[in-house]
Amino acid sequence: MAKGNGTFRIGTGAGFSADRLDPAVDLARRGRLHVMVLECLGERTVAFAHRDRMADPRRGYNALLERRMRALLPVCMKAGTVIITNMGAANPRAATERTRDIARELGIAGVKIACIEGDDVSGLVPRSQPFMDEEGVLADIGRPIVGMNAYLGADAIIPALEAGANVVIGGRLADPSMYLAPMMRHYGWQNSDLAKLGAGTLVGHLMECGMQITGGYFADPGLKDVPDLAHCGYPIAEVAADGSAVITKLPGSGGRVNEATVKEQLLYEVHDPAAYLTPDITADFSQVKLNDLGNDRVAVSDADGRTRPERLKVTIGFDAGVLAEAGVSYAGPSAGARGLLAAQIVEARLKEAHGIKSPVRIDLIGANSLFATAGKEGADSEDVRLHVALRTADRGEAELMLWEVESLLCCGPAGGGGFRGSITPAVETKSVLVERGLVKPTCEIFVT
Amino acid sequence: MRARGHNERLVVRDIAHARAGDKGNTSNVSVWVYDPEDFELLKRSVTAERIKREFPHLVRGEVTRYVIEHLHGLNLVMCEALEGGVNASLNLDSHGKSWSYLILGLALDTGEKRA
């Protein structure tokens, strides 16, 4: 089908694991896209997915994969839009098989689904491997490792596109690489076209967090207003042959694309603007030009690139026990004083009565919590919530903490109510750098 | 710069917008002025040394400030500034998403003596 104005059109259909689906369907339907990317993996997400896979070898992929594929496959197949996603998480093969089964159930014949593997390097990294940005080596972790995933780049994805895949499913595919790969394939860019790879990586970087460039994570009422965030649209990149692009969104969708939304995303999770490292390129965003064209259209150009890093980043996830959280609220006159008293009681009880030595933090939400360590003084409030958080390898300790906070209802200050408590499994992650030769991506095509 | 009442303190939020991101135990906050004329004021007010001085318990590592002159923005990279990072922090906001507003809440160095 005609995609319009000669540019290569890429849309985002998810910018994180729990992102919205209905605007993705709207974009797939009306966006005239060549490619839709669903970026659904964070460092912790992949570790949690490994835990899921250990519990059930048929799981370990994004929990929303089935819903997303069921809604997007028919629309994207009809529109001729290729889906690229890292929703495979810790189990791309199971995700691919599930997607194939969904396509069959929906009666869509001839869907080519590529499964990219090889990012799981468990067992391949030596125990003497030093960590990337902190002291210590792999052997120091001393707790069960749940997964090790190398970041795969565009070169792992391109073979799937060359094979004519309609859907590409991988695990730890690097976020911007999922955008760069189809641009390289479409425009015939080579690994030596450093400026173009830098430009394409900029587009991927701007797009990968979905609505963070169309008005999400941006609004500050009265100062930075964003229209209709409840119906915010996902972004579209119209990419030219030199890698410059216009970032926009669907007409009629909520949100906003302007110079300010693009600037904030330009350096999101970037350290040195002149050295943004991906498996594909050392991208340079320091001289990027932005041109606000109005009507939710911003032109981006002048990213550059230098040779890609020699080594690939690997994220290692390991068991970190549980995070326990519990709270009780106080409202009305003297709420702050009563909350403070409750905090003192809990602190004493956890130490003296239960001998808990694991790290505990006690906050008064409404008075001072997020900025407590920053040293900000809390405001007087007539509505505060005691919040107690504990990390421990011992579930028994977590249960004791919840019990102790709940006991405040009868044994604590006056007027305390609304106890809630939760215990959730925790993972920790560390990173190492490995030689590229250690990582061997594979691509297998499944057909319905 | 937005107009403010006579006795109101001017803060970074009056001239700039910001976004926070995290990688491990490192937080970065990019800060952008609305009006290029305020960029010198922002640069004077938000320095690496000042961040260290204002938040000694939170920002335990090095602070690097990148200046994006032509787009009128700063990128503050604050090491060991996330209470262990998203996996280890006991802060409710373990990503430090709200750190942008820590920076936006800083008083501007307008050169006026305040009582």
Side-chain angles (χ1 to χ4, degrees):
Chain A
M1 94 185 229
K3 307 292 184 187
N5 76 0
T7 59
F8 187 61
R9 295 171 63 84
I10 307 183
T12 300
F16 80 111
S17 58
D19 219 338
R20 289 181 189 158
L21 176 54
D22 51 302
V25 176
D26 188 27
L27 179 57
R29 195 167 278 144
R30 298 198 286 132
R32 293 176 291 115
L33 303 177
H34 293 92
V35 174
M36 173 172 270
V37 175
L38 291 94
E39 197 294 294
C40 296
L41 220 49
E43 294 197 336
R44 288 188 320 150
T45 335
V46 69
F48 278 114
H50 277 290
R51 294 176 69 120
D52 292 346
R53 195 205 51 196
M54 284 176 192
D56 179 351
R58 292 163 302 174
R59 309 296 298 187
Y61 52 82
N62 184 277
L64 291 169
L65 173 117
E66 290 163 39
R67 275 173 187 267
R68 286 183 170 132
M69 288 300 179
R70 216 171 267 285
L72 291 172
L73 266 180
V75 189
C76 287
M77 284 301 287
K78 193 174 163 203
T81 300
V82 173
I83 296 173
I84 302 178
T85 183
N86 51 18
M87 276 195 287
N91 201 347
R93 182 160 293 263
T96 305
E97 288 170 353
R98 190 72 198 101
T99 302
R100 179 198 57 195
D101 294 346
I102 289 168
R104 283 181 180 158
E105 279 171 42
L106 294 172
I108 316 174
V111 187
K112 283 185 173 178
I113 308 162
C115 174
I116 312 284
E117 291 177 300
D119 60 312
D120 189 339
V121 292
S122 305
L124 297 180
V125 182
R127 288 170 51 79
S128 58
Q129 181 81 44
F131 296 130
M132 189 173 104
D133 42 17
E134 57 194 304
E135 297 290 308
V137 299
L138 197 55
D140 297 339
I141 287 179
R143 276 179 279 176
I145 287 178
V146 296
M148 281 192 201
N149 292 77
Y151 282 76
L152 301 184
D155 52 7
I157 301 168
I158 288 172
L161 301 173
E162 283 173 345
N166 305 104
V167 183
V168 181
I169 299 176
R172 185 58 282 180
L173 306 177
D175 306 358
S177 305
M178 290 193 286
Y179 295 83
L180 180 62
M183 291 179 221
M184 290 176 71
R185 160 91 179 135
H186 182 79
Y187 285 123
W189 299 342
Q190 303 302 312
N191 281 333
S192 53
D193 295 330
L194 299 178
K196 286 169 180 160
L197 267 50
T201 297
L202 170 66
V203 173
H205 168 70
L206 291 173
M207 296 284 290
E208 77 187 42
C209 292
M211 296 178 199
Q212 283 195 188
I213 198 164
T214 55
Y217 196 36
F218 181 85
D220 188 337
L223 183 60
K224 291 197 294 174
D225 285 308
V226 178
D228 202 11
L229 268 178
H231 303 98
C232 192
Y234 277 114
I236 300 166
E238 302 169 354
V239 187
D242 65 353
S244 63
V246 171
I247 306 293
T248 186
K249 65 185 189 69
L250 282 178
S253 62
R256 163 165 287 156
V257 183
N258 63 19
E259 194 178 309
T261 69
V262 175
K263 278 180 173 175
E264 286 193 17
Q265 196 56 24
L266 176 65
L267 295 185
Y268 179 68
E269 293 182 349
V270 171
H271 294 169
D272 181 353
Y276 182 72
L277 304 179
T278 80
D280 311 309
I281 190 84
T282 301
D284 181 351
F285 299 160
S286 66
Q287 304 304 321
V288 164
K289 289 201 178 78
L290 305 178
N291 186 9
D292 195 331
L293 307 171
N295 292 319
D296 295 312
R297 295 176 64 80
V298 175
V300 300
S301 64
D302 291 79
D304 206 344
R306 300 188 303 278
T307 314
R308 66 189 193 182
E310 285 292 318
R311 293 181 295 171
L312 292 176
K313 181 173 161 182
V314 170
T315 300
I316 297 154
F318 53 96
D319 183 86
V322 295
L323 169 66
E325 291 178 283
V328 172
S329 280
Y330 300 87
S334 75
R338 284 177 287 133
L340 198 57
L341 176 59
Q344 290 159 353
I345 295 167
V346 169
E347 190 176 11
R349 292 279 304 170
L350 291 181
K351 272 191 201 141
E352 292 159 21
H354 302 298
I356 289 179
K357 293 194 177 64
S358 301
V360 175
R361 173 170 171 143
I362 304 178
D363 284 310
L364 284 180
I365 299 170
N368 196 8
S369 60
L370 302 194
F371 289 172
T373 312
K376 291 285 177 188
E377 280 172 35
D380 280 338
S381 169
E382 291 214 345
D383 195 330
V384 301
R385 181 166 183 79
L386 174 82
H387 178 260
V388 184
L390 163 76
R391 285 190 188 274
T392 174
D394 174 1
R395 201 178 172 91
E397 269 194 346
E399 285 165 359
L400 271 177
M401 189 277 274
L402 261 62
W403 179 16
E404 198 52 64
V405 173
E406 187 169 10
S407 79
L408 287 171
L409 295 179
C410 276
C411 319
F419 166 79
R420 300 283 188 283
S422 67
I423 299 174
T424 47
V427 290
E428 252 186 76
T429 57
K430 290 191 186 291
S431 302
V432 300
L433 292 169
V434 302
E435 298 306 320
R436 277 178 186 271
L438 191 72
V439 184
K440 296 186 174 66
T442 61
C443 169
E444 189 179 336
I445 306 279
F446 292 54
V447 185
T448 62
Chain B
M1 195 186 296
R2 293 187 321 134
R4 275 256 173 174
H6 182 60
N7 284 323
E8 262 183 296
R9 194 181 69 142
L10 286 169
V11 295
V12 175
R13 181 175 172 273
D14 293 315
I15 62 166
H17 56 104
R19 176 168 294 186
D22 72 299
K23 274 206 196 292
N25 198 16
T26 301
S27 167
N28 88 289
V29 175
S30 70
V31 193
W32 312 88
V33 288
Y34 294 102
D35 181 346
E37 290 197 356
D38 290 327
F39 194 41
E40 288 306 314
L41 174 58
L42 180 74
K43 281 196 280 188
R44 192 165 73 234
S45 303
V46 180
T47 62
E49 299 71 40
R50 179 162 181 211
I51 304 298
K52 283 289 288 180
R53 198 168 66 237
E54 294 271 355
F55 312 117
H57 299 292
L58 182 69
V59 183
R60 294 178 165 274
E62 227 179 293
V63 179
T64 306
R65 186 183 83 163
Y66 296 93
V67 179
I68 302 89
E69 202 67 49
H70 70 294
L71 296 178
H72 314 109
L74 303 176
N75 193 29
L76 302 163
V77 180
M78 300 172 279
C79 296
E80 295 171 63
L82 286 168
E83 306 182 49
V86 64
N87 297 308
S89 170
L90 286 171
N91 194 312
L92 259 178
D93 177 9
S94 51
H95 291 93
K97 297 270 185 191
S98 55
W99 279 207
S100 48
Y101 279 81
L102 262 183
I103 306 299
L104 292 175
L106 289 173
L108 288 171
D109 177 10
T110 51
E112 291 163 25
K113 286 252 179 350
R114 275 183 292 272

